[in-house]
Amino acid sequence: MNIKYFSRTLLVLAMIGAFSVNAMAKDKVIKWKLAMSWPKHLTPLSSPPQNFAKMVNEMSNGRLVIAVHGPEKHKAALGVFDMTKLGQYQMAHSGSYYWKGKDINTLFFTSMPLGMTQDEQTAWFYHGGGLELMQKVYAKHKMYSFPGGNTGVQMGGWFRKEIKTVEDLKGLKMRIPGFAGEIMADLGVAVTNLPGGELYTALERGTIDALEWVGPGMDIKMGFHKVAPYYYTGWHEPASEMQFMINKKAFDKLPKDLQAIVTVAMKAAAADMYSENYVASADAWVKMKKDYPNIIVKDFPMPVLRAMKASNDKLIKKLEKRGALTKEIIVSQREFLKKSREWTKISEYSYLKSMIALEN
Ligand code: CA
């Protein structure tokens, strides 16, 4: 390459560079607001929206700046659906099953009792038609909805007394929200829904006999293990997925590259929450077992699980009649679970079974 050609090339490159810097400077900065249902300190639930906003700012070189507000600021933990729908906020971070009273079809995108594991459900969302069904549901509300971070399997809860038979559930006072609460009510449990701040005292005083929260990582901060020794394993929220909601108009107005940045950052922040919560639970469980050796971990007895399944199937059958889209979602989840569980059995499950047998 001769010198003259080389310097001309450099000059051209410099001009292109100057031009693109110029073009970027002219790009206006877009400012969005995101309302989350959780206070800022409630990690890992509050981690995805905060990590997401930081990533979007960096990846867009400051062209899309997103302010993240918790209920400390917007004052309405469960108002974020409407605030985003109406465009007061461009985005929200919450849980889809909170909106089942507004639209029954939103129920299915968090976790269903006795349903898919985290692996199975994530595969359903991204490669099994779940994401498309979620958009179908939220289009009616002029929003998009995306996975927002998974808690993994949630523990069945803290009980003051052992549950030996289905009879033991009759009259039991328990805090358990959502569809699982409906199943428990069907089995004779007196389901209550106290706010988080009142739960410890209620359990300590025996105002309630049992409650479920999340898993060791989040439960340890609540202190339930100090007053209720039976820690039951999971059945009711095998893979609770949080959600990002986006006002459709606001998203559609973004240039294509910013849309891609938002989409990728949501996925990365969601994946990171699963890992963050996993470590928090592993660490908390080591500490809980050491500090409170009286904790007794129990699986629900098979007759109790069978009764839960029978109630679940009965209630799902009723739900199926609520409309064509409801039925489409239920069938999609059922068929995906059937197929993926066969693979889970000979992969993760068989591996764990063998490895745990080796430990003994
Ligand atoms: Ca829970």
Side-chain angles (χ1 to χ4, degrees), residues 97 154 175 212-214 236-237:
Y97 61 1
Q154 295 201 7
R175 180 266 179 192
E212 74 78 49
W213 194 240
V214 183
H236 68 303
E237 292 195 70

Side-chain angles (χ1 to χ4, degrees), residues 1 24 55 58 130-131 136 145 153 173 201 239 292 301 303 326:
M1 191 192 283
M24 217 153 25
M55 275 189 271
E58 282 167 9
L131 207 50
K136 228 177 181 177
S145 174
V153 69
K173 292 188 283 299
T201 313
Y292 292 85
T326 313

Side-chain angles (χ1 to χ4, degrees), residues 192-245:
T192 62
N193 226 338
L194 296 172
E198 292 170 28
L199 288 174
Y200 178 84
T201 313
L203 190 63
E204 188 194 24
R205 295 192 182 153
T207 315
I208 55 173
D209 307 302
L211 57 80
E212 74 78 49
W213 194 240
V214 183
M218 296 196 70
D219 293 6
I220 197 169
K221 300 174 198 164
M222 305 294 282
F224 304 135
H225 55 293
K226 298 173 190 170
V227 290
Y230 294 95
Y231 202 16
Y232 276 88
T233 58
W235 66 279
H236 68 303
E237 292 195 70
S240 290
E241 185 75 45
M242 305 302 114
Q243 68 168 166
F244 283 108
M245 283 177 282

Side-chain angles (χ1 to χ4, degrees), residues 46-111:
S46 62
S47 300
Q50 297 181 81
N51 291 338
F52 161 79
K54 189 165 176 280
M55 275 189 271
V56 167
N57 192 352
E58 282 167 9
M59 289 198 279
S60 72
N61 201 16
R63 286 161 57 220
L64 178 55
V65 180
I66 302 172
V68 178
H69 297 168
E72 310 91 337
K73 177 111 181 166
H74 57 64
K75 309 285 178 214
L78 295 180
V80 305
F81 181 100
D82 290 325
M83 292 192 280
T84 306
K85 183 175 178 170
L86 297 172
Q88 292 155 344
Y89 278 80
Q90 287 76 24
M91 285 187 77
H93 187 259
S94 192
S96 190
Y97 61 1
Y98 293 135
W99 323 123
K100 69 170 182 153
K102 297 177 189 293
D103 180 343
I104 190 63
N105 293 329
T106 58
L107 169 70
F108 304 95
F109 300 98
T110 307
S111 186

Side-chain angles (χ1 to χ4, degrees), residues 167-193:
E167 280 302 305
D168 291 339
L169 293 175
K170 303 237 153 70
L172 188 92
K173 292 188 283 299
M174 181 173 187
R175 180 266 179 192
I176 177 165
F179 195 63
E182 292 178 39
I183 294 171
M184 283 303 220
D186 192 54
L187 295 174
V189 171
V191 175
T192 62
N193 226 338

